[in-house]
């Protein structure tokens, strides 16, 4: 919301009355509670943040054990603004300790809130205005966290690459060689060769699978676009309005990608005998998003919180989705049907009846594989994920887009690698139903992220149903988007791997 403070450019002000208010007993109790918990306010001027405390407390000991605490409310706020030419370079706020209101008693009191503004010229350039906030990432503690996160990610990647190449690739290469020069008995010893007539069989709910791939690809491109904007300087940590606007615009434009990918994969898996509709790709993420946001908005309205979206904003979002997202999605579906992937021709014939799946060892069962598929990538990014939670919900400064990009690349690599390894283990057990499991193995990392979010909340000082609902709701939407992205990456990596090994082997 917009505050009552009026800061006109280069106009000094002295002891301007903001508002006179009579504080009731309930108001005083709220202020005392806020002061006791060290509450502070956060405001923005020209996208530059500024902070200040609500008040202060002082304690005096009466006798040996009893302590009397006095609570004081700051009633005067000073703004100091630095500018160069016609641009604001820096702004600070100070709560003047000379203007204190004693609110230790539960008696009604009249308070006059005032403020002053001082403008000063500076030689600093506007291009350096964010350096002050970026220094938070250079703090020794922050540097240690990022260093440990980097080393942790590299360690997991090296171990996984070692497993992939020393054990997995070498073993698979020997199997492919035996398929080319060995006899029939040697060929039958390898489990994944025995399911060659079933591994390319279309899975259940193929339309939902294609919609999943379309939405996951769309969100992946959206994330890449946000990184590109951040590195070009278009987005920075405190440009909040531009971030939300960019999300809406990019998501709308990338609806073409969702429609194209969904229709293209539908044709790739099932042929082009009929035009495929893409409505599932248009509701797979937006519908849960609108449901969660509607519930949270209702909670915010009930509490009278400023986090509630205005009615006009809700109407604009609905109009954008109706008149832009849906047409772009339809256009993408048309292009996918017309110019998308050609129908896939499996290297081996598919039998009419699927092969019976034998009883699996414990390490080949779905629950174990899905757990492992989520745990390995999450263990590599958990430290940086904690930093992200602290930035989103702990109001800490996050100014390391380079480290976040590195973590995201590691997450993609690990999701693809783990998806391939687990798919190979599954096929080696003569289990040909790999399609949906490969998605779950990659997407389960997001479940670990949400679980860690619950732990983060329990260890924080956040309280109340309003804060709980907003935290769990918006964290769920973030993790659901990552579930779609990582599940898509894991599936595509597994699909490319399966096509490669079955085309490499010579089967009759």
């Amino acid at each position: 919301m917009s505050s009552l403070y009026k800061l006109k450019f280069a106009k000094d002000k002295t002891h301007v009355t903001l508002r006179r208010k009579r504080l009731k007993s309930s108001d005083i109790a709220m202020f005392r509670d806020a002061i006791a918990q060290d509450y502070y306010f956060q405001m923005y001027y020209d996208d530059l943040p500024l902070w200040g405390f609500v008040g202060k407390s002082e304690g005096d000991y009466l006798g040996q054990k009893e302590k009397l605490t006095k609570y004081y409310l700051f009633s005067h706020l000073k703004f100091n603004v630095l500018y160069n030419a016609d641009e604001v370079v820096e702004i600070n706020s100070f709560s003047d300790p000379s203007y204190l209101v004693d609110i230790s008693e539960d008696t009604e009191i009249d308070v006059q809130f005032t403020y002053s503004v001082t403008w000063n010229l500076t030689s600093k350039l506007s291009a350096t205005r964010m350096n002050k906030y970026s220094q938070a990432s250079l703090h020794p503690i922050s540097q240690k966290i990022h260093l440990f996160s980097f080393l942790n990610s590299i360690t997991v990647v090296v171990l996984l690459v070692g497993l992939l190449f020393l054990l997995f690739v070498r073993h698979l290469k020997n199997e492919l060689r035996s398929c080319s020069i060995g006899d029939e008995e040697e060929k039958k010893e390898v489990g994944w060769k025995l399911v060659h007539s079933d591994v390319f069989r279309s899975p259940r709910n193929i339309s939902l699978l294609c919609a999943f791939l379309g939405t996951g690809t769309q969100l992946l491109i959206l994330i890449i676009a946000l990184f590109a904007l951040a590195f070009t300087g278009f987005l920075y940590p405190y440009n909040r309005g531009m971030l939300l606007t960019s999300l809406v615009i990019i998501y709308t434009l990338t609806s073409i990608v969702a429609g194209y990918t969904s229709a293209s994969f539908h044709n790739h898996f099932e042929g082009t005998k009929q035009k495929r509709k893409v409505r599932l790709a248009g509701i797979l993420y937006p519908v849960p998003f609108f449901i969660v946001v509607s519930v949270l908005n209702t909670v915010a309205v009930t509490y009278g919180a400023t986090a509630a979206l205005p009615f006009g904003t809700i109407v604009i979002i609905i109009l954008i989705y109706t008149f832009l997202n849906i047409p772009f999605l339809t256009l993408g579906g048309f292009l996918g049907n017309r110019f998308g992937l050609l129908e896939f021709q499996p290297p081996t014939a598919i039998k009419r009846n699927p092969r019976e799946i034998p009883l699996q060892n414990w390490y080949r069962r779905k629950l174990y594989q899905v757990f492992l598929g989520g745990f390995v990538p999450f263990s590599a990014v958990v430290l940086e994920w904690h930093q992200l939670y602290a930035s989103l919900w702990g109001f800490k400064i996050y100014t390391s887009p380079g480290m976040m990009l590195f973590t995201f690349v590691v997450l993609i690599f690990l999701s693809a690698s783990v998806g391939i390894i687990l798919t190979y283990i599954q096929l080696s057990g003569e289990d040909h139903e790999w399609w949906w499991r490969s998605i779950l193995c990659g997407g389960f990392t997001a479940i670990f992220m949400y679980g860690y979010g619950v732990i983060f909340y329990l260890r924080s000082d956040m309280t109340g149903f309003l804060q709980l609902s907003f935290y769990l709701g918006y964290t769920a939407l973030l993790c659901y988007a990552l579930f779609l992205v990582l599940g898509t990456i894991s599936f595509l990596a597994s699909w490319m791997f399966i096509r490669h090994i079955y085309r490499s082997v010579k089967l009759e």
Side-chain angles (χ1 to χ4, degrees):
M1 62 180 298
S2 298
S3 70
L4 299 178
Y5 299 100
K6 304 297 181 183
L7 276 65
K8 294 185 178 180
F9 188 81
K11 297 291 184 181
D12 291 344
K13 293 184 178 181
T14 305
H15 290 88
V16 177
T17 299
L18 181 72
R19 188 176 181 183
R20 292 183 175 89
K21 183 174 179 62
R22 185 170 185 81
L23 298 181
K24 300 179 181 179
S25 299
S26 58
D27 298 327
I28 292 175
M30 289 175 59
F31 272 119
R32 279 207 305 264
D33 183 61
I35 294 172
Q37 299 185 58
D38 290 328
Y39 270 60
Y40 60 89
F41 62 81
Q42 180 172 347
M43 295 189 290
Y44 295 85
Y45 186 75
D46 194 27
D47 284 331
L48 293 176
L50 55 148
W51 303 270
F53 284 97
V54 176
K56 70 173 186 175
S57 61
E58 295 178 352
D60 295 325
Y61 285 95
L62 302 177
Q64 295 182 348
K65 297 182 179 179
E66 186 179 356
K67 181 180 180 181
L68 177 63
T69 303
K70 304 284 288 184
Y71 294 92
Y72 299 97
L73 181 68
F74 293 129
S75 62
H76 185 74
L77 192 62
K78 292 182 178 180
F79 296 97
N80 182 28
V81 191
L82 302 180
Y83 68 99
N84 188 342
D86 59 347
E87 296 179 321
V88 176
V89 177
E90 184 177 333
I91 183 169
N92 298 290
S93 63
F94 306 93
S95 298
D96 195 334
S98 303
Y99 295 84
L100 299 176
V101 178
D102 191 346
I103 56 173
S104 303
E105 305 294 333
D106 287 329
T107 56
E108 296 187 2
I109 186 173
D110 292 318
V111 180
Q112 178 175 321
F113 293 94
T114 57
Y115 69 100
S116 301
V117 186
T118 303
W119 291 80
N120 297 294
L121 278 169
T122 180
S123 58
K124 296 180 180 179
L125 300 178
S126 61
T128 64
R129 56 189 248 147
M130 296 304 299
N131 292 349
K132 169 184 175 182
Y133 309 100
S134 300
Q135 290 175 355
S137 62
L138 301 177
H139 192 276
I141 295 179
S142 297
Q143 286 185 320
K144 286 183 179 180
I145 292 176
H146 290 306
L147 177 61
F148 284 133
S149 176
F150 175 80
L151 294 177
N152 180 58
S153 300
I154 291 297
T155 301
V156 175
V157 169
V158 170
L159 290 176
L160 191 64
V161 169
L163 175 64
L164 188 65
F165 284 95
L166 296 180
L167 299 178
F168 174 62
V169 173
R170 183 177 179 181
H171 181 62
L172 179 61
K173 188 176 181 179
N174 292 334
E175 290 179 348
L176 291 175
R177 185 182 297 112
S178 68
C179 292
S180 300
I181 64 177
D183 55 21
E184 293 298 322
E185 291 299 325
E186 287 180 323
K187 294 180 183 180
K188 292 182 179 179
E189 291 177 359
V190 182
W192 59 269
K193 291 191 298 180
L194 300 177
V195 294
H196 63 88
S197 59
D198 296 290
V199 72
F200 296 107
R201 187 185 306 276
S202 293
R204 294 184 295 270
N205 302 317
I206 186 66
S207 297
L208 179 61
L209 176 67
C210 294
F212 192 104
L213 298 177
T215 306
T217 305
Q218 176 189 11
L219 294 175
L220 175 62
I221 294 178
L222 184 146
I223 294 174
I224 294 174
L226 290 179
F227 275 119
L229 293 177
F231 279 100
T232 56
F234 188 77
L235 292 178
Y236 50 91
Y238 296 104
N239 197 346
R240 302 161 302 143
M242 187 59 67
L243 175 61
L244 297 176
T245 302
S246 300
L247 282 172
V248 173
I249 294 176
I250 297 174
Y251 185 85
T252 301
L253 295 177
T254 53
S255 295
I256 297 178
V257 177
Y260 176 86
T261 306
S262 179
S264 183
F265 273 111
H266 224 315
N267 295 336
H268 189 55
F269 294 142
E270 289 203 321
T272 56
K273 295 180 181 179
Q274 58 178 344
K275 300 303 181 183
R276 307 297 179 179
K277 297 182 179 179
V278 293
R279 65 168 65 95
L280 273 177
I283 65 177
L284 197 59
Y285 189 80
V287 168
F289 177 85
F290 283 128
I291 291 175
V292 172
V293 170
S294 298
V295 172
L296 296 182
N297 208 57
T298 302
V299 173
V301 171
T302 304
Y303 276 82
T306 56
L309 294 176
F311 178 76
T313 302
I314 297 175
V315 173
I316 291 174
I317 292 176
I318 294 176
L319 291 176
I320 290 176
Y321 180 78
T322 304
F323 294 104
L324 290 178
N325 278 63
I326 294 179
F328 280 147
L329 185 71
T330 305
L331 175 61
F334 170 77
L335 295 176
N337 285 318
R338 189 72 179 272
F339 307 106
L341 297 172
L342 299 177
E343 182 179 357
F344 175 69
Q345 300 296 331
T348 59
I350 299 176
K351 293 181 179 180
R352 177 175 300 180
N353 297 319
R355 180 187 179 89
E356 183 178 355
I357 300 175
L359 183 64
Q360 299 294 303
N361 296 326
W362 63 272
Y363 59 88
R364 285 195 175 104
R365 293 175 183 173
K366 180 184 294 186
L367 182 61
Y368 172 80
Q369 288 201 328
V370 168
F371 178 87
L372 186 63
F375 177 76
V376 173
F378 176 74
S379 63
V381 301
V382 60
L383 294 178
E384 204 63 29
W385 190 250
H386 175 85
Q387 288 293 93
L388 181 62
Y389 271 133
S391 300
L392 292 176
W393 301 106
F395 300 100
K396 293 185 178 180
I397 303 173
Y398 193 98
T399 54
S400 303
M403 189 63 196
M404 184 181 291
L405 177 61
F406 169 77
T407 304
F408 184 65
V409 172
V410 168
L411 187 61
I412 290 177
F413 173 78
L414 292 177
S415 297
S417 301
V418 172
I420 292 174
I421 293 175
L422 294 178
T423 298
Y424 172 72
I425 294 175
Q426 180 183 356
L427 296 179
S428 297
E430 302 177 26
D431 184 354
H432 55 81
E433 296 181 350
W434 64 273
W435 302 70
W436 283 105
R437 188 181 298 189
S438 66
I439 288 178
L440 292 176
C441 289
F444 208 77
T445 303
I447 306 299
F448 275 95
M449 291 176 173
Y450 190 75
Y452 186 82
V454 174
I455 297 175
F456 183 89
Y457 177 85
L458 295 176
R459 296 178 60 184
S460 70
D461 295 328
M462 291 184 277
T463 57
F465 179 75
L466 175 65
Q467 205 162 29
L468 174 65
S469 59
F470 265 68
Y471 179 87
L472 294 181
Y474 282 115
T475 302
L477 290 177
L478 173 62
C479 292
Y480 177 51
L482 289 174
F483 180 87
L484 295 171
V485 172
L486 298 178
T488 298
I489 291 170
S490 178
F491 174 86
L492 294 178
S494 300
W495 173 245
M496 294 171 62
F497 165 74
I498 288 175
R499 291 175 59 181
H500 171 73
I501 63 173
Y502 282 99
R503 281 177 175 172
S504 300
V505 68
K506 296 180 179 179
L507 293 170
E508 294 182 357

